[in-house]
Amino acid sequence: MPIPEDVTGDEIDKDVRQELLSLPKTLAEDVAKNLVMVARLIDEDPEGAYGYSKVALRLASRVAAVREAAGFAAYATQKYSEALAEFRAARRMSGGVELWPVMADCERGLGRPEKALDMAGAPEANKLDKAGQVEMRLVAAGARRDMGQLDAAIVTLQSPELAAGSVQPWTARLRYAYADALLAAGREGEAREWFAKAIEADRDGSTDASDRLAELDGVDFVDALDETETETETENENGAESETESDGDVVEEATDAEEAEDPAEGKAGSDEAGHGVVDRDED
């Protein structure tokens, strides 16, 4: 797959670069460039990111960072079985537990929420850092919802991290998930409060909390572009109607003039003009 000229491979994380030192220099550079493309495209063009991840995987399947990138690309395209296999391989190579929450979420994607809950209670979950623990909580709550256990999902999300006043990278998503669960349970007033709190913490627009809150408040947004296009169409239609009326006036004036000049031919001229108008309308 083509690599843009502005991609050098130096953009990758230093830890990943360290892993690639085990490869020959030219090969390491090629792998690095493909990994950069995966990171660049995974949000906007998941299928494109997936394609680059397969190239990197073909070049260096024994590098943990490559298997991890391939896992996230497959996950982004909802290829959960493939993603889970790659995450497991990366975890075996690295020995870390960072991927445990997303592995559990793959189980959800495969229709196995019970397995995801088992993973949430496994010893590996206790080894996660704070961010990982929050992710695991989100996955567990999602699994509860998958099983129709709304109240349990709400309780799962109630945590010190949810109640904390400080804003962390996970705060907006945690508050959003809590608001969404409350709304699903019919607790609209509380849901509105937490969507508002999610907006306060959502500094990079990672959620659509503002849209959800507006929907609850009955606010209907109108696309300014659509409104302008509608006005233009109306003006064009009015202009066309005016032109048609003007054409009709000209035809009528011509007919009157012909009748005045030759009374004997007046009827035939009127019929011909009338047929002309009908033919134009049919066209």
Side-chain angles (χ1 to χ4, degrees):
M1 296 182 69
I3 303 291
E5 293 183 0
D6 65 321
V7 174
T8 65
D10 294 333
E11 300 90 342
I12 60 174
D13 183 88
K14 63 179 182 179
D15 292 334
V16 176
R17 189 180 298 111
Q18 186 69 29
E19 285 191 55
L20 295 181
L21 291 178
S22 61
L23 303 174
K25 183 177 180 181
T26 301
L27 179 59
E29 291 175 352
D30 289 341
V31 173
K33 289 178 181 179
N34 279 281
L35 293 180
V36 170
M37 293 305 298
V38 173
R40 177 178 290 189
L41 297 176
I42 198 163
D43 291 328
E44 302 298 329
D45 181 13
E47 288 294 344
Y50 179 75
Y52 282 104
S53 75
K54 299 300 283 187
V55 175
L57 194 60
R58 186 171 66 251
L59 295 174
S61 61
R62 295 187 179 182
V63 176
V66 171
R67 302 303 289 265
E68 182 176 330
F72 277 111
Y75 179 81
T77 54
Q78 299 183 5
K79 297 176 177 66
Y80 296 118
S81 181
E82 183 177 340
L84 185 56
E86 296 299 342
F87 287 142
R88 284 172 174 167
R91 182 169 176 269
R92 285 195 301 270
M93 293 175 182
S94 67
V97 296
E98 296 82 7
L99 296 172
W100 197 249
V102 72
M103 289 170 62
D105 206 39
C106 285
E107 295 288 358
R108 284 187 61 212
L110 292 169
R112 301 193 291 252
E114 296 88 351
K115 177 62 176 176
L117 286 176
D118 289 341
M119 294 179 68
E124 287 83 352
N126 296 327
K127 299 176 183 178
L128 294 168
D129 60 14
K130 181 62 66 176
Q133 290 173 13
V134 172
E135 288 298 324
M136 195 73 252
R137 190 177 292 277
L138 287 167
V139 172
R144 291 291 186 188
R145 291 191 61 172
D146 293 342
M147 298 166 66
Q149 301 174 2
L150 277 175
D151 289 340
I154 291 171
V155 172
T156 299
L157 292 169
Q158 292 171 344
S159 61
E161 293 79 21
L162 179 67
S166 61
V167 174
Q168 302 295 333
W170 60 77
T171 304
R173 292 176 56 240
L174 184 59
R175 292 177 180 178
Y176 181 93
Y178 188 59
D180 192 47
L182 289 169
L183 186 60
R187 296 160 61 175
E188 186 173 311
E190 294 173 85
R192 188 195 180 288
E193 176 187 350
W194 282 97
F195 276 129
K197 290 182 178 181
I199 293 172
E200 293 175 359
D202 195 359
R203 296 169 178 171
D204 57 358
S206 61
T207 73
D208 65 346
S210 58
D211 293 338
R212 299 294 300 278
L213 183 59
E215 184 180 342
L216 284 175
D217 289 342
V219 177
D220 186 17
F221 291 106
V222 177
D223 193 317
L225 181 60
D226 290 343
E227 192 175 66
T228 301
E229 290 176 349
T230 301
E231 291 176 354
T232 302
E233 290 173 359
T234 301
E235 291 174 359
N236 290 338
E237 290 174 0
N238 291 337
E241 290 175 0
S242 298
E243 290 177 3
T244 301
E245 291 174 359
S246 297
D247 290 344
D249 292 341
V250 171
V251 171
E252 289 177 1
E253 290 175 2
T255 302
D256 291 342
E258 290 172 358
E259 289 177 349
E261 290 176 0
D262 190 348
E265 295 180 357
K267 187 175 186 303
S270 177
D271 288 343
E272 290 173 2
H275 288 312
V277 173
V278 171
D279 289 343
R280 183 168 63 252
D281 289 344
E282 288 179 351
D283 293 339

